[in-house]
Each structure stands twice: as C-alpha cells, then as structure tokens.
Amino acid sequence: MASEALARLATERVDHRFKGLPPDADGLTVGELAAQRRNLFTDGFATPVLALSAERLAHNLGLMETYATRHGLAFAPHGKTSMAPQLFQRQIEHGAWGITLAVPHQVRVARAFGVQRVFLANELVDPAALRWISARLDADDGFRFVCYVDSVRGVRLMDAALRGASRPLDVVVELAAGEDARTGVRTEAECVAVADAVAATRTLRLVGVAGYEGEVPQATPERVHAWLRRLVALAVDFDEAGRFPRAGEIVVSAGGSAWFDAVADVFAEIPELSAPVLKLLRSGAYVSHDDGHYRKITPFNRVPEEGALEPAFRLWTQVVSRPCAEQAFVNAGKRDAAYDLDLPFAQVVRRDGVERPATGIEVTALSDQHAWLRTAPEADLEVGDWLGLGLSHPCTSFDKWPLIPVAEADGTVVDYIRTFF
C-alpha cells in the first residue's frame, strides 16, 4: 500500500497549484517532469522557488540513523516538520521505528501512505478522531498507535469515545517539563492518578511515559538532564508498582531537535525493567535542518565528534527593485519563507550562471511578497540577480510549499517532494 500510494504522487499533474515550477511544465506528471532532470537555474523554474539539496538531505538522513543506532535508541522522527510522505518513507528506510505526529489530520495522511507505526505526541480527546483511529486499529493488526494522556478527564473522554473497540488504544502518561511548560502532568502524584484512570478502562492500555524536554524552563544541560531523570524515574516507579501489566514493551520517549544528546545520555541509564524498553527519540527538524534556530542549538555543536547536520533548504528569489544604494527588494516574503523565529539569511548572489557570496546584504524585514534588503557599499546587487536565502525553522518552511524540487549541487532537479498541510 505504501509503495502504491507513493507511486501515485508521481502521476499528479503539474499546474498552477505548485509555485516556482516551470510554466511550460503544465500538464506533465510530476514523474515526467522529474525524468527530464531540468536545471533549477536554466530550465524555466520561476522565482521564488524553494529547493532541497539532494546531497544534504541524504547526509542528514544517514547521520541520524547512525546516531540512533550508536546510542541504542529507537527513532520516530516528528513528521509534522515536513508532512511529506516521501520523506517519511526515506526516514523509515533509514531505520526509523515509525513517525511522530501531532494532530489527527496528520495521522490520516500517514495512514494514507502506509505508515504502520505512529506516535502522537499530543493528547487526543476528539471523539470522531478517536473512533477513526480505533477503526484503523481494528482493521489492521499491524498498525501500532500510541498517544499522550495527561488528565483523568481526558482518560474518561477517550474511554467514552472508544466503547466497543476490539483493540485497546495504547497511551503514555505525559510528564510536563515544568510548571510553565506546555501540556503534561505537573506532579508524580497526578501521574499516578492518570495511570489509575487508564487502568480502570478496557479501552486504553498504559504502555509507558513520555514528554518533551524542549519545554524545560530556562533550559540548561543540567536542567534538561534533571527533568529526563525524573521521566525515567517515573517509568521505573510505574513498573515497580505493576502499572504496565498489558504492555509487551515499555515506552520511554522524549527528544526534540535541541537536546537529543541529553536524551541519549539519560536513556542509557534506564535500568532493566519487567519488559523490554522502547527508548524512543522523536527529533524531526534534522531532516532538512536549517540556517538559523536549529543550526545554533543542535546538540552536534556540543558533541562535534558525533558529526554535523547540514542545512538542506535554499529559497531562490530575484531582485525586482533597487531603489537606492542602501536598499533592494526580492520577490519572496511571508508567503514563501519561514520567519517565526529568524528572518532569512542572504547567502549567495547568482548572475549570468556565476554564484558568489552575498557580501554586504542583509534581510531586515518581510512583507507578504517581498523581502527587504539592506545593502552595504560592498554589495554588488542588480535588478534581475537571483539571491539564495537560507531559512530558519524547517517546521514553518515545508508548509508554504506543496511541491518542492530536490536539486543536486549543479542545479539538476532529480525529484519533487509533495507536502500535505
């Protein structure tokens, strides 16, 4: 099913829905266009156009596979970063246990493309979504689904929605990362109450504990390690109290893209429990990485001997106005570039087939369809030049582009990534 659904993506027709693609490609299928191996710079692509580096994408996929294996971690990368089934498949081919998601719509996308293991890193109390997931579980013995619980009321709502299900739905108690964190149970005593509520149902099965260390207030290595040890201690306490009687394996899960080194450190300390432990890492931003937020905070900066992720996105724009020596404008803005954490970064100028560093050029603001550039005296920039921008925060880059060219270093486009947001 997965291969058939992915193959159908190549049969989709190229048209006005997909920005940046060559206008003369309208009517071709995505597969036909990919087979032409057009050049991003010389074969009709229109600016703005977002491209993924084929080489850097492959590097990042391989690096995190090696990292998870080296540290004895199962890996369920957070798919909400890309919502791209082709990338889900490549991640699974690189050893991923499954895919992490955040909301029911994303689960529907993943199931449509044959993903067999889904970790929903969120609470789920919507009855329609619960019944849909329950029906998928009843219909497919090979489908594994796990989600958070963090309240007794939430457990009761789930139980009411799932009455009559043949298979129980697997849940993990979410431990909050602190008083000012996002979701999750604040105290261990409350965790026990939630676990007891799950045990009182026939529709739910408690299989572990989880959380998100990226929400630790004023996060430092010491604070993050301390919270992770609380999470592990909660799992140990639950196991000693016999709270996982129906779990074939015990899930202990954490791991965003900022502190997965701490997760590896602390999860290595998990003692032997009454059932095998699934040490589940969920970092997702690695797949494309970025030139801003995650590049600054990646754990590989702290442990460089583990390797280095590479930013794989570049947004190609064109200079459309140069009103004065200190200012220029390109034709990409908020509709095209991630801007929720950092503005884009001017990287290279391309003119007449030659690329050079974007010296003296800074993005200072974004309008809907323009980026504002401040240009220093040394900036060599003319109307018509292509400007390549690095982006920050991949989670809000993929969602702006429904079909993304994958280009090799020389500009040859070898594939197209379809996203579903």
Side-chain angles (χ1 to χ4, degrees):
M1 177 181 175
S3 58
E4 293 175 4
L6 290 168
R8 284 196 295 272
L9 292 177
T11 67
E12 193 167 11
R13 296 287 173 181
V14 174
D15 57 25
H16 60 276
R17 293 170 296 162
F18 305 126
K19 58 185 178 179
L21 301 191
D24 67 353
D26 278 9
L28 296 175
T29 67
V30 172
E32 289 168 344
L33 180 57
Q36 292 182 356
R37 295 177 66 87
R38 294 199 186 194
N39 187 279
L40 189 70
F41 308 111
T42 61
D43 288 333
F45 288 84
T47 57
V49 58
L50 180 68
L52 265 172
S53 163
E55 296 87 353
R56 292 184 170 198
L57 178 61
H59 168 83
N60 292 343
L61 288 165
L63 182 64
M64 284 302 289
E65 177 185 18
T66 300
Y67 183 88
T69 301
R70 181 185 301 130
H71 291 282
L73 300 169
F75 189 34
H78 214 316
K80 58 96 175 173
T81 299
S82 69
M83 284 309 298
Q86 292 147 289
L87 296 183
F88 295 172
Q89 182 61 29
R90 290 188 67 176
Q91 289 169 313
I92 289 168
E93 290 169 356
H94 279 271
W97 170 90
I99 298 296
T100 296
L101 297 164
V103 292
H105 157 70
Q106 295 169 357
V107 181
R108 291 188 65 191
V109 171
R111 287 298 292 158
F113 288 90
V115 175
Q116 285 291 86
R117 291 172 176 165
V118 171
F119 186 97
L120 190 76
N122 206 349
E123 282 68 27
L124 178 58
V125 295
D126 180 88
L130 283 162
R131 286 192 290 267
W132 181 86
I133 289 168
S134 179
R136 304 289 83 71
L137 288 167
D138 288 348
D140 183 355
D141 288 340
F143 177 38
R144 177 88 191 274
F145 178 86
V146 183
C147 73
Y148 285 174
V149 289
D150 76 347
S151 67
V152 171
R153 176 167 171 77
V155 169
R156 290 171 180 163
L157 290 171
M158 295 176 77
D159 182 47
L162 293 169
R163 296 283 170 82
S166 336
R167 285 176 63 187
L169 190 147
D170 288 348
V171 297
V172 291
V173 173
E174 183 194 8
L175 177 67
E179 286 300 319
D180 298 319
R182 201 161 54 193
T183 55
V185 185
R186 266 37 182 181
T187 69
E188 279 74 2
E190 291 170 301
C191 287
V192 169
V194 173
D196 286 344
V198 172
T201 75
R202 293 184 178 180
T203 58
L204 303 177
R205 178 174 67 167
L206 185 66
V207 297
V209 299
Y212 175 46
E213 76 291 340
E215 286 287 313
V216 170
Q218 294 93 43
T220 63
E222 295 75 21
R223 286 175 178 267
V224 171
H225 278 77
W227 178 81
L228 286 164
R229 290 193 173 100
R230 273 188 68 199
L231 182 69
V232 169
L234 180 65
V236 172
D237 289 348
F238 273 14
D239 189 48
E240 290 177 350
R243 296 189 182 280
F244 303 126
R246 296 187 288 164
E249 63 182 0
I250 297 169
V251 178
V252 182
S253 179
S257 293
W259 294 100
F260 56 76
D261 57 331
V263 174
D265 289 345
V266 175
F267 280 15
E269 303 170 358
I270 296 177
E272 185 174 339
L273 301 181
S274 63
V277 179
L278 183 71
K279 304 174 184 180
L280 197 59
L281 181 70
R282 305 194 306 270
S283 311
Y286 82 97
V287 68
S288 64
H289 200 40
D290 69 1
D291 281 288
H293 178 69
Y294 285 114
R295 191 171 194 174
K296 290 181 286 190
I297 65 172
T298 175
F300 291 124
N301 292 340
R302 294 187 289 271
V303 281
E305 64 273 16
E306 296 271 19
L309 293 169
E310 297 177 352
F313 269 140
R314 181 164 285 171
L315 176 61
W316 287 99
T317 67
Q318 193 166 28
V319 180
V320 294
S321 180
R322 190 82 160 94
C324 63
E326 296 79 28
Q327 197 173 41
F329 293 85
V330 293
N331 61 346
K334 293 178 180 178
R335 309 295 185 196
D336 313 295
Y339 62 93
D340 57 319
L341 296 179
D342 294 295
L343 290 172
F345 308 91
Q347 294 181 325
V348 294
V349 176
R350 186 177 180 88
R351 182 189 301 162
D352 299 326
V354 178
E355 285 183 20
R356 51 187 166 73
T359 305
I361 302 171
E362 179 187 5
V363 178
T364 59
L366 294 179
S367 298
D368 285 350
Q369 302 293 175
H370 292 95
W372 297 57
L373 308 180
R374 179 184 297 124
T375 52
E378 65 271 23
D380 178 11
L381 196 64
E382 297 179 356
V383 170
D385 289 347
W386 280 37
L387 180 66
L389 301 177
L391 302 177
S392 180
H393 202 188
C395 298
T396 52
S397 295
F398 279 99
D399 63 351
K400 301 176 187 300
W401 294 85
L403 195 62
I404 303 171
V406 179
E408 294 179 340
D410 66 357
T412 301
V413 176
V414 296
D415 199 1
Y416 294 84
I417 299 297
R418 186 70 159 93
T419 65
F420 293 85
F421 283 93

